[in-house]
Amino acid sequence: MDPFFQTPPQTGNRFHTDPTLRLALQWRLPEAVFQAASPALENMGRLAADTMPPLAEQAENNPPRHLPYDAWGRRVDRVEVDESWLELVRLGQRQGLVSLPHEDPYGVHTRIVQAGLINLYDPVSAVADCPLVMTDGATCLLKEHDPELAKQYVPRLTAREQAWTSGQWMTEREGGSDVGRSATIARPGDGGTWHLFGSKWFTSATTADMALALARPEGAGGGSRGLSLFLLELRQADGGWNGLTVRRLKDKLGTRALPTAELDLAGARAVPVGGLGDGVRKLTGLLGVARYWAAIGGLAGVGHLLALARDYAGKREVFGRCLADHPIHREWLARIASVYDAMVVLNLETAWQLGRAEHGEDGTLARLFTSLGKLACARQGVWAASELLESFGGAGYVEDTGIPRLFRNLHVNCIWEGTSSVLAHDVLRALKKPETGEAYIEEVVRRLGALRHPASGSMRECIEEALESLVPMINSPREEQARRLAWGMARTFQALLLTEFAEWRLNYYDDGIGVTVARLFAAEGLVEAGCDESAAALQAVAFTGQALPR
């Protein structure tokens, strides 16, 4: 009798095997744009299915090394990165992941096409998209705030061959998201240059060609208002570091193929971006782009794992039947799939709003949705990936299946560019301007009014009820409600988008699956129940777990 070996799951080309991704792109893009972009999406799906996985595995099995000294004791701080990881970066550049929005072939819809490409690329990239994220954001920033520097650097950053990458250095020991505590000092040099002195605790693009860094010019005031933004090239003409010393590479939970370093700046030569001052404000656009990419990372990993889980369910036999034939397993995967669909439609909405803002239209909703989208998709991605890991049983916990690595890498999306609480705080701050809340409410009401199909009736009522509970919090935002408010706004809009998508599927394909998906998602509740406990009671629960004395 031949021994049994389980047939492993395969994703195939997800542009074909992921119905949500393909249909959602078709829904959000004009037909001519969808047809024009399909060859690039098809090619990216093929590369992600056959070319990229072996490169990613090699990169993950050969993490970066820091060699502080050469054989003769000279300080060199060489960071060795496996060639496979560098090839994954180059592959992303060749496929236009950075250049596409700046080439702008599809006008206001270009960011949507980019989102589809990143979704296919990210899960098998060994997080090689990290420098691509920063490069896309840096390009936007330079174009907005310093046309002269943009002329010099943007052609290099947006090339498809021999392109540069950029880092973004904000995090210091004194403050992570609280950048106002930054201690790096800038001192004037010759010819309009400056020299930076200080430490950067977490730099995620150590092998980049340039970086954007916050520093406080000598004599400038304290807090975030005293910070300026500087551009520095990492290497000098002779190939040596530009006034940089690598303290160590970070040993991280995930993203292990990605070189992340703790650096000292000892006179690094730099130039101000857009003149001195307003450093934090200038980073706003870059952060928006980075948050949009991080949201894609959350949903892309889930899309990849869901494709594996669906394939596995047809191959794994349990109790005499394939997993796919067990109602309990089908219901479970359906619930996970409904969350994935919600993530996809919210991300494409963010891409649409971002594209509109980049083409001169009002950016109020773009700024709001980059925070809401990242908040929801990053955290929902971790939940869904945990569920999907379990769907493989013991194989999901075994390193050489690659599944644990995907799960670990997904967690970073909740950390980079703002934790859930930071994002909720940003939403709260945005709502301090009445026009932001008004824009959100008006958008929901307008789109609810456009729903026409009888099948949407129950969903429309659910969304209206959720909006009714959100409006008082939107109009009078308070910090203790910030997370509940932000989550409620994100989930309510996800439900609205799923309902719109369902109507399109019914009208275009006579397909009722989208209605079921929307109802499954809404069944989990769109706005969490409020908390009326006193601040003292919450303090006791949060930090001691003990009841207050009577």
Side-chain angles (χ1 to χ4, degrees):
M1 183 176 180
D2 292 334
F4 172 79
F5 293 99
Q6 177 62 49
T7 304
Q10 302 290 330
T11 63
N13 183 333
R14 280 207 302 122
F15 185 56
H16 298 303
T17 65
D18 186 334
T20 297
L21 176 60
R22 185 182 179 92
L23 289 174
L25 286 169
Q26 188 179 0
W27 166 52
R28 293 308 305 250
L29 294 170
E31 182 63 24
V33 174
F34 180 75
Q35 293 300 330
S38 286
L41 292 158
E42 162 87 30
N43 187 50
M44 189 73 256
R46 178 186 60 78
L47 291 169
D50 54 34
T51 302
M52 294 177 63
L55 290 172
E57 179 138 3
Q58 181 177 331
E60 295 279 8
N61 290 334
N62 295 279
R65 292 195 310 153
H66 171 218
L67 301 176
Y69 302 98
D70 69 10
W72 305 101
R74 296 182 184 87
R75 185 84 192 219
V76 291
D77 281 323
R78 191 161 67 245
V79 177
E80 293 183 348
V81 180
D82 196 85
E83 178 60 26
S84 58
W85 191 82
L86 297 174
E87 177 56 26
L88 287 165
V89 174
R90 292 191 291 265
L91 186 149
Q93 291 168 322
R94 287 195 294 270
Q95 297 306 309
L97 297 190
V98 174
S99 62
L100 194 68
H102 308 285
E103 296 167 348
D104 201 28
Y106 310 116
V108 72
H109 300 97
T110 301
R111 284 284 182 189
I112 297 176
V113 176
Q114 183 199 34
L117 291 168
I118 300 167
N119 188 320
L120 296 165
Y121 171 89
D122 173 87
V124 286
S125 71
V127 201
D129 47 357
C130 172
L132 306 184
V133 175
M134 300 298 115
T135 303
D136 185 4
T139 300
C140 294
L141 186 151
L142 291 176
K143 287 162 68 174
E144 180 181 2
H145 293 292
D146 199 318
E148 288 305 312
L149 284 178
K151 288 179 187 177
Q152 182 179 352
Y153 288 99
V154 166
R156 305 179 194 180
L157 297 172
T158 57
R160 293 201 179 209
E161 298 288 345
Q162 297 181 324
W164 276 32
T165 56
S166 177
Q168 170 202 326
W169 298 353
M170 295 193 301
T171 306
E172 300 185 10
R173 292 190 305 274
E174 292 81 359
S177 299
D178 185 5
V179 295
R181 300 178 64 194
S182 297
T184 299
I185 296 298
R187 295 175 181 148
D190 298 326
T193 64
W194 291 70
H195 295 278
L196 309 186
F197 298 84
S199 297
K200 296 296 180 181
W201 190 81
F202 200 98
T203 62
S204 288
T206 312
T207 54
D209 300 280
M210 56 167 271
L212 297 171
L214 287 174
R216 195 179 310 278
E218 280 189 319
S224 60
R225 293 180 182 275
L227 293 171
S228 293
L229 186 66
F230 293 87
L231 184 153
L232 65 149
E233 296 184 15
L234 270 65
R235 299 283 180 176
Q236 301 180 94
D238 63 2
W241 288 106
N242 171 22
L244 302 174
T245 301
V246 179
R247 286 190 174 190
R248 57 175 173 166
L249 294 182
K250 298 293 193 181
D251 187 8
K252 298 162 293 177
L253 170 69
T255 69
R256 294 185 175 178
L258 169 68
T260 306
E262 187 173 338
L263 300 176
D264 285 331
L265 294 85
R269 190 172 182 270
V271 293
V273 176
L276 296 178
D278 289 332
V280 176
R281 183 185 62 81
K282 290 170 187 173
L283 280 166
T284 302
L286 187 157
L287 282 174
V289 170
R291 286 172 173 175
Y292 148 77
W293 276 73
I296 303 175
L299 62 96
V302 173
H304 183 84
L305 284 171
L306 185 59
L308 288 173
R310 285 169 164 162
D311 187 63
Y312 189 66
K315 293 174 176 177
R316 179 64 176 170
E317 188 175 300
V318 179
F319 305 124
R321 290 185 292 174
C322 283
L323 280 171
D325 296 326
H326 287 273
I328 191 172
H329 195 74
R330 289 200 303 269
E331 188 276 337
W332 183 29
L333 281 187
R335 180 170 172 246
I336 300 167
S338 74
V339 174
Y340 171 63
D341 287 19
M343 295 160 68
V344 171
V345 294
L346 181 58
N347 178 247
L348 295 186
E349 177 70 23
T350 304
W352 164 246
Q353 296 291 351
L354 187 59
R356 290 178 66 249
E358 290 176 340
H359 285 79
E361 298 188 43
D362 181 71
T364 301
L365 288 177
R367 289 187 290 273
L368 182 63
F369 276 101
T370 51
S371 293
L372 291 177
K374 198 269 199 187
L375 169 87
C377 294
R379 178 48 58 190
Q380 289 170 333
V382 171
W383 171 84
S386 175
E387 297 287 312
L388 289 166
L389 184 149
E390 186 180 343
S391 76
F392 299 98
Y397 207 68
V398 176
E399 282 292 342
D400 55 9
T401 65
I403 295 168
R405 183 172 69 230
L406 276 165
F407 180 60
R408 286 195 303 272
N409 285 349
L410 272 165
H411 280 257
V412 80
N413 298 300
C414 297
I415 305 297
W416 280 349
E417 318 314 336
T419 63
S420 298
S421 288
V422 168
L423 293 163
H425 188 271
D426 283 357
V427 170
L428 197 72
R429 185 165 50 192
L431 292 174
K432 295 294 184 183
K433 298 178 180 178
E435 58 267 27
T436 302
E438 290 168 3
Y440 175 88
I441 295 167
E442 289 170 4
E443 188 73 0
V444 174
V445 170
R446 180 184 69 80
R447 292 166 80 152
L448 276 174
L451 296 174
R452 293 286 183 265
H453 202 285
S456 301
S458 62
M459 283 300 301
R460 187 164 50 242
E461 292 174 6
C462 180
I463 295 164
E464 287 172 347
E465 183 180 331
L467 182 63
E468 186 177 349
S469 69
L470 285 171
V471 166
M473 290 190 286
I474 290 173
N475 290 336
S476 300
R478 306 200 313 266
E479 184 174 346
E480 62 268 26
Q481 294 180 325
R483 285 178 68 107
R484 178 189 173 211
L485 172 57
W487 267 108
M489 293 175 71
R491 286 183 59 83
T492 299
F493 216 92
Q494 283 179 313
L496 173 60
L497 291 166
L498 285 175
T499 308
E500 291 180 333
F501 188 27
E503 284 206 357
W504 177 85
R505 291 177 71 160
L506 281 165
N507 293 330
Y508 203 93
Y509 286 112
D510 194 24
D511 167 12
I513 294 174
V515 175
T516 304
V517 167
R519 289 174 178 167
L520 275 172
F521 181 79
E524 299 296 320
L526 301 186
V527 183
E528 295 177 3
C531 178
D532 296 323
E533 298 296 327
S534 69
L538 293 176
Q539 171 84 4
V541 172
F543 295 107
T544 69
Q546 299 172 352
L548 289 174
R550 293 185 181 275

